[in-house]
Amino acid sequence: MNDLLAYFKIHDTADLIWLGLGVVAQLMFSLRFIIQWLVSEKQKRSVIPAAFWWFSVIGGIMLLAYGIHRGEPIIMLGQGLGIVVYIRNLMLLHQGRKTDLPSETKS
């Protein structure tokens, strides 16, 4: 067991907590694909719901924090740039909702 902990550079409780955060972050980030798939299957067409972008932002921030803690420049670069894209997509969704005209109803 000690060899496994050493392999993952876990030397104390704080390292173990950070590893747990990294695992949860990756699961959060991966759930966005499952959500996108389920929504698309339900609508019988390819759809990217707002939840996809929210899971991207939350998972991305968590992974960025993990990357910073671990000193992993590849994770920091990838997630840092990705978060900008995810937030911009949420902004575009929000702007689109504000500019959509209410649908007309026939009486």
Side-chain angles (χ1 to χ4, degrees):
M1 182 65 160
N2 286 338
D3 290 339
L4 183 62
L5 293 175
Y7 178 79
F8 288 110
K9 299 176 186 162
I10 302 194
H11 306 292
D12 56 27
T13 304
D15 289 338
L16 190 58
I17 290 170
W18 276 103
L19 179 66
L21 175 80
V23 169
V24 170
Q26 188 59 52
L27 289 171
M28 178 80 66
F29 199 69
S30 297
L31 278 174
R32 68 195 187 128
F33 292 113
I34 294 169
I35 289 168
Q36 189 273 332
W37 174 50
L38 293 174
V39 170
S40 293
E41 286 293 335
K42 184 177 179 180
Q43 294 191 19
K44 303 290 186 218
R45 62 186 181 90
S46 183
V47 177
I48 299 178
F52 176 90
W53 299 114
W54 281 110
F55 272 89
S56 297
V57 169
I58 294 166
I61 289 170
M62 292 172 70
L63 285 169
L64 178 61
Y66 177 77
I68 290 169
H69 172 75
R70 298 291 288 193
E72 296 281 347
I74 303 301
I75 293 174
M76 289 186 272
L77 181 63
Q79 294 306 318
L81 294 174
I83 291 167
V84 172
V85 174
Y86 312 145
I87 290 172
R88 180 62 181 147
N89 275 283
L90 284 170
M91 291 169 63
L92 291 170
L93 281 174
H94 181 70
Q95 287 173 356
R97 288 186 184 135
K98 286 172 56 174
T99 59
D100 282 347
L101 297 174
S103 55
E104 295 180 28
T105 58
K106 294 183 180 180
S107 301

